[in-house]
Every structure is written in C-alpha cells, then in structure tokens.
Amino acid sequence: MSKVKEFIDVDAPLHGVYNQWTQFEEFPRFMDGVEEVRQTDDRHCHWTTKVAGARREFDTEIVDQLPDQRISWRTVGGDVRQMGVVTFQRLDDSRTRVSLAMEFEPHGMVEKAGDMLGVLDRQVKGDLSRFKGFIEEQGRATGGWGGRLTPEGAGAPVSPAGRDDAPPREQPQARMTGEGAPPRPVGPDDMRRG
C-alpha cells in the first residue's frame, strides 16, 4: 500500500468546512478525476472516477464519522483498494485546517509509475486547494450532515445526541431527485439541537 498525507488551511469556520465535506455528491465539483459520487445510504457511496484515461468504479464505507472532527472511510467493493481519514481542526473563528491521509494500492504499470512519481500526492494537494476555493467562494456549505457513525455500529447511524435516529444526510438542491423539500442552509445552532 502507498500513502499520501496533505493538509490545507481554509479561510472558513470549522462547522461550515466540515458540513461541506459531508456533501459527497459535490466532490466532482472540486476533485480532479471524480466523475460521480452517488450516496446510497448514510454510510456508503458509489464512485466513478477517470484518471489518466482509466475509468474505475468502486464503493466506499464510512468507518467513523465524528461531527466537526473526522471522517474515515475504506473501499468495500470495486476496482480500487484504499482507506483514509480526513480531519478538521479549528485554527480560529474563521479558519480551519483540513488534513487528509490515505493509503491505496496502485494497479497496473501506469498507476505504479504515477505513484513513484508522486502523481497522487499532487492530485490530492490540488483537490484540497480546489476544495478551499470552492468553500471560500461559496461563503457557506451547500448542505451538511451532523450524524455520528462509529465502527462498532456498522450500519446503525447514531445522532449527535446518541440516539439511533440520526437525521438523513442533506442533499444539495441541484442533486435532489424530488424526494423531500430543498435543504435549508445549515448553521451552528443545528448541531446544538441534536
């Protein structure tokens, strides 16, 4: 397995930065090579990527999600083997550090050569930079999800208050399929209501 670690400081408050990262279906807007992320439930996503001409489809599972602190994941099916964690650190009232650490298994000669040349390191650094630009330009998160997912409770989301009735993950209005009302902006008070 190969490893990559990168971080970036974002000029936005912690809660909004974390909330934006929970909007997985928005990832193609700032992650190079990610064509689509489709969330199938609170814990699982299906990814379609195209990097260096190679199209890959795979599924990920959120292993641990602690609001405003971290999200860790692993692949559970498909063409890719990886695991990682993204953490969020409050620097002050208006700045947040986003750190990403990932382990992955390169396949084939092209991916192995790219790994040796640091291609993924540069891609992750670029993705974090585009995320920074995206959230800073937006001025607020496009949605958010404050539920707690734990490794022990695989398949059973836990709300911030510790109940097994976590709110459904909000979807950006542009991605809605007609189910439910458009999400309202998520503010700091939403976490305290849990």
Side-chain angles (χ1 to χ4, degrees):
M1 292 285 251
S2 295
K3 297 178 183 182
V4 62
K5 289 183 180 181
E6 295 290 344
F7 75 90
I8 196 160
D9 294 341
V10 178
D11 294 328
L14 169 67
H15 189 68
V17 172
Y18 171 83
N19 275 341
Q20 185 60 57
W21 198 277
T22 68
Q23 301 306 288
F24 306 120
E25 292 186 353
E26 293 286 305
F27 282 8
R29 295 179 69 181
F30 56 82
M31 286 189 174
D32 192 33
V34 176
E35 292 185 341
E36 180 185 30
V37 179
R38 185 173 28 87
Q39 189 152 354
T40 57
D41 60 33
D42 285 337
R43 195 175 285 273
H44 298 93
C45 292
H46 181 79
W47 294 65
T48 304
T49 63
K50 189 172 184 181
V51 179
R55 175 179 236 123
R56 303 267 192 242
E57 290 199 36
F58 57 96
D59 297 311
T60 57
E61 174 184 47
I62 296 172
V63 176
D64 186 29
Q65 184 168 346
L66 181 59
D68 291 345
Q69 293 185 33
R70 74 176 169 273
I71 302 170
S72 62
W73 76 92
R74 66 180 174 200
T75 53
V76 291
D79 301 335
V80 174
R81 286 196 54 211
Q82 64 172 246
M83 66 177 115
V85 63
V86 60
T87 60
F88 306 87
Q89 177 187 359
R90 179 186 178 277
L91 298 176
D92 60 36
D93 287 347
S94 62
R95 293 181 331 127
T96 304
R97 175 162 293 164
V98 179
S99 301
L100 183 121
M102 189 169 81
E103 291 185 13
F104 67 98
E105 186 174 307
H107 292 282
M109 295 283 282
V110 172
E111 287 183 16
K112 289 177 182 177
D115 180 37
M116 289 173 46
L117 296 171
V119 171
L120 185 63
D121 289 339
R122 288 190 299 278
Q123 182 172 343
V124 167
K125 191 174 216 166
D127 289 346
L128 288 174
S129 180
R130 284 184 293 277
F131 173 74
K132 171 183 169 69
F134 179 80
I135 188 69
E136 289 176 358
E137 186 176 306
Q138 289 282 116
R140 64 178 179 81
T142 60
W145 191 74
R148 171 76 167 111
L149 298 173
T150 63
E152 305 83 42
V158 178
S159 73
R163 298 182 311 268
D164 288 340
D165 61 349
R169 198 177 293 270
E170 290 186 25
Q171 296 178 350
Q173 190 168 353
R175 300 263 185 202
M176 288 193 66
T177 60
E179 299 171 4
R184 62 177 176 74
V186 177
D189 292 337
D190 293 322
M191 288 300 290
R192 288 190 277 273
R193 282 185 257 225

